[in-house]
Amino acid sequence: MTFSDTSTRQRLAEFVARAAGGHGAVIISLERMSGGAVQENWALDVKLDGELRRWVLRTDAKATVRESLTRAQEFAVLKIAHAAKVLAPEPLFLCNDLAVTGRLFFIMQRLPGVAAGHKVTRDSKLVPDGGSLARELAANLARLHRITPAHAGLGFLPTMLARDCIAHYRSYLDTLSHPYPALEWGLRWCEINAPQHEDTTFIHRDYRTGNYLVHDGHLVGVLDWEFPAFGNPLEDIGWLCARCWRFARPDLAVGGIAGLEDFIAEYEWVSGRQVAPGDLIYWQVMAHLRWAIIALQQLERHLSGTERSLELALTGHIVGQTELEILNLTGAP
Amino acid sequence: MNDRPDARDLLEIARYAFVAEVLPAVPEALRYTALMIANAIAIAQREIAAGDAPLRGEYRRFAGLLSGNAAVPDGDALRAAVEGYNRRLANEIRAGRFDGEERAAMLEHLRRTTEEKLAVSNPKALVDPAGK
């Protein structure tokens, strides 16, 4: 989508005025933001009844990933998360009318801050106190995990507990022409060590450094609500603490910003849920399995010719790192 | 015979010229792509330099682990044999055949294979700044 033609912009301005209950809206600027291979984000500045509003317009990109939500579902998820006091951009208006821009989209609040993982893990001016930021991430995640399957309006979410994840990843590996014994070992280990009992809550499934905004050292909002499910809340903790999301600081377990102590204590305090060291290792193994599967899906898009791309091609070469991490975590010699 | 220099030398000098002369002049918006190009060439260089030695090593380990023929085949037959062994290992791991006393030998095999793979894909991942 380009939005460059004046008639599209005019229809968008009319939609905004109608949705916001205003008299008139003028689009001041509309520019593509960086990131987002799956969705496009556009920085949208609008003068609504004379007052400047800074928003984000979020719409589908060309490349769609199987498992991601529709824009309407993502909008519903954001509404519920926001109402549960989870730090996230406030969703404002959903447009289901293809006549406006040709694609479904929604508009949300534009939060200040930096998300890029290599900056968040490297820039001590941006994050002067990593422990404090880790505690904010923990409390925010605990609030998110208070949303349960009983919640009305989220019936479209799949349920993915440990054994569901194992079955799902195996079924994907079975579609490939090439075998991955190290990943099979990780899956077998997860099967042998699967938890007897699991809590089931709303989980974000991409809660990690690179996907949250930091401003003046504080967490201001979590982004990328495309892959949520109902599942084991420990999965989100394993994902955030997995080696693959530590960027410049592989020595700092919590997303490359802090050690575990600050995060786990705060999460346990706010959630009332215990996180045993064994749970953490289990879900770190599962995180690397999931990342390997996603990497293989991206690689297949390149190999199959669906989307020839250097970035997707190189993603195939990170599978070995996830395998090494799985071997390390499962006690290989 | 092809004219010299060969693929190995061409990749080396092409990457050198790219990193020394092109990369510093690349605008910020294209820097990530430029770094990916340099990385892709480096992986290809390491793959060529390693030749089929890693594949032969993997075959020999498989012959021990899965009681196969120790005589290493050549070329396409080697590739097909290793692919077949990997398929068998993947299936047997899933079926639980390596849950018990053969687990240590299987894990040793996977670690060696993974390390050899990373020596081509990303040698930096073999240096562990965080400890295990």
Side-chain angles (χ1 to χ4, degrees):
Chain A
M1 181 158 8
T2 60
F3 296 113
S4 55
D5 67 298
T6 43
S7 63
T8 303
R9 283 179 177 238
Q10 184 54 37
R11 285 193 302 277
L12 183 60
E14 285 163 12
F15 166 79
V16 164
R18 201 164 57 241
H23 297 290
V26 180
I27 294 175
I28 305 298
S29 70
L30 183 55
E31 278 172 30
R32 177 86 192 264
M33 299 166 82
S34 63
V38 183
Q39 269 74 45
E40 288 180 4
N41 293 315
W42 294 75
L44 171 63
D45 288 356
V46 174
K47 237 180 191 153
L48 182 67
D49 295 344
E51 195 183 327
L52 184 65
R53 306 294 181 96
R54 295 174 191 280
W55 292 331
V56 172
L57 184 153
R58 190 160 162 83
T59 190
D60 293 318
K62 287 183 309 232
T64 51
V65 165
R66 307 183 311 153
E67 306 182 29
S68 79
L69 298 186
T70 68
R71 283 329 96 229
Q73 289 169 338
E74 191 182 358
F75 187 77
V77 163
L78 263 179
K79 280 261 182 205
I80 286 165
H82 202 258
K85 305 259 186 291
V86 175
L87 296 172
E90 183 183 1
L92 300 168
F93 319 114
L94 171 70
C95 181
N96 273 320
D97 182 1
L98 287 174
V100 178
T101 66
R103 290 192 214 176
L104 304 186
F105 67 90
F106 66 78
I107 291 170
M108 61 187 178
Q109 174 192 22
R110 187 154 95 236
L111 294 171
V114 173
H118 64 274
K119 288 186 186 147
V120 170
T121 55
R122 205 176 259 138
D123 184 348
S124 60
K125 282 199 205 76
L126 179 65
V127 184
D129 182 352
S132 158
L133 179 61
R135 286 192 296 277
E136 291 176 5
L137 282 164
N140 194 54
L141 189 60
R143 287 193 294 276
L144 186 152
H145 289 161
R146 284 196 193 126
I147 303 169
T148 69
H151 216 95
L154 293 176
F156 53 84
L157 292 181
T159 298
M160 292 288 281
L161 292 168
R163 288 171 184 80
D164 302 309
C165 292
I166 294 165
H168 192 69
Y169 304 154
R170 279 181 174 160
S171 72
Y172 180 72
L173 289 177
D174 287 343
T175 67
L176 301 176
S177 58
H178 188 73
Y180 289 90
L183 300 181
E184 290 289 349
W185 164 247
L187 288 164
R188 179 64 185 162
W189 185 89
C190 281
E191 186 171 52
I192 295 168
N193 294 288
Q196 294 301 314
H197 165 81
E198 294 182 83
D199 287 347
T200 308
T201 71
F202 178 85
I203 54 173
H204 181 282
R205 299 199 94 208
D206 208 4
Y207 196 93
R208 62 163 176 92
T209 297
N211 274 350
Y212 55 79
L213 286 163
V214 181
H215 187 58
D216 287 340
H218 292 286
L219 174 67
V220 292
V222 177
L223 307 171
D224 285 317
W225 295 76
E226 306 154 39
F227 305 105
F230 291 119
N232 191 324
L234 300 172
E235 180 180 330
D236 277 338
I237 296 176
W239 189 252
L240 173 64
C241 298
R243 179 76 179 267
C244 47
W245 302 125
R246 296 181 195 166
F247 295 90
R249 291 299 301 271
D251 54 320
L252 296 176
V254 183
I257 56 158
L260 282 171
E261 17 354 289
D262 286 301
F263 179 88
I264 298 291
E266 182 76 2
Y267 180 82
E268 289 183 337
W269 169 252
V270 180
S271 70
R273 184 178 291 117
Q274 296 296 304
V275 184
D279 293 336
L280 187 69
I281 290 172
Y282 184 87
W283 288 100
Q284 283 174 323
V285 172
M286 197 71 99
H288 285 97
L289 286 166
R290 177 158 176 249
W291 181 212
I293 296 293
I294 293 170
L296 289 171
Q297 288 171 339
Q298 295 187 349
L299 170 65
E300 280 303 305
R301 276 160 58 200
H302 169 77
L303 292 178
S304 68
T306 310
E307 189 188 352
R308 297 285 293 170
S309 141
L310 178 56
E311 186 170 24
L312 295 178
L314 286 172
T315 305
H317 275 267
I318 66 166
V319 173
Q321 290 166 63
T322 68
E323 290 173 332
L324 185 64
E325 196 58 23
I326 288 164
L327 293 172
N328 287 341
L329 288 166
T330 58
Chain B
M1 228 177 154
N2 289 330
D3 282 336
R4 290 179 299 166
D6 64 8
R8 181 190 306 229
D9 194 353
L10 284 171
L11 284 174
E12 186 188 323
I13 195 63
R15 186 174 190 278
Y16 178 81
F18 184 77
V19 171
E21 296 171 36
V22 179
L23 195 55
V26 161
E28 188 60 31
L30 285 174
R31 192 168 163 78
Y32 181 57
T33 304
L35 289 170
M36 286 195 297
I37 291 169
N39 187 28
I41 296 173
I43 293 172
Q45 284 180 280
R46 290 190 294 264
E47 185 179 313
I48 289 172
D52 69 357
L55 208 56
R56 298 173 73 82
E58 190 176 353
Y59 180 92
R60 278 192 214 96
R61 288 195 301 278
F62 265 129
L65 185 69
L66 300 176
S67 319
N69 183 352
V72 183
D74 283 317
D76 288 347
L78 172 61
R79 195 162 291 278
V82 171
E83 184 85 4
Y85 273 138
N86 269 302
R87 174 62 65 195
R88 207 176 119 197
L89 180 61
N91 290 342
E92 293 189 0
I93 287 171
R94 193 186 291 196
R97 204 202 119 187
F98 290 94
D99 289 355
E101 57 186 37
E102 288 185 81
R103 180 189 293 201
M106 178 273 292
L107 288 175
E108 170 66 22
H109 169 87
L110 289 180
R111 175 173 289 284
R112 289 279 300 279
T113 306
T114 303
E115 285 174 353
E116 282 179 351
K117 199 158 84 162
L118 283 170
V120 171
S121 285
N122 184 3
K124 280 186 204 152
L126 294 170
V127 185
D128 193 342
K132 278 180 190 168

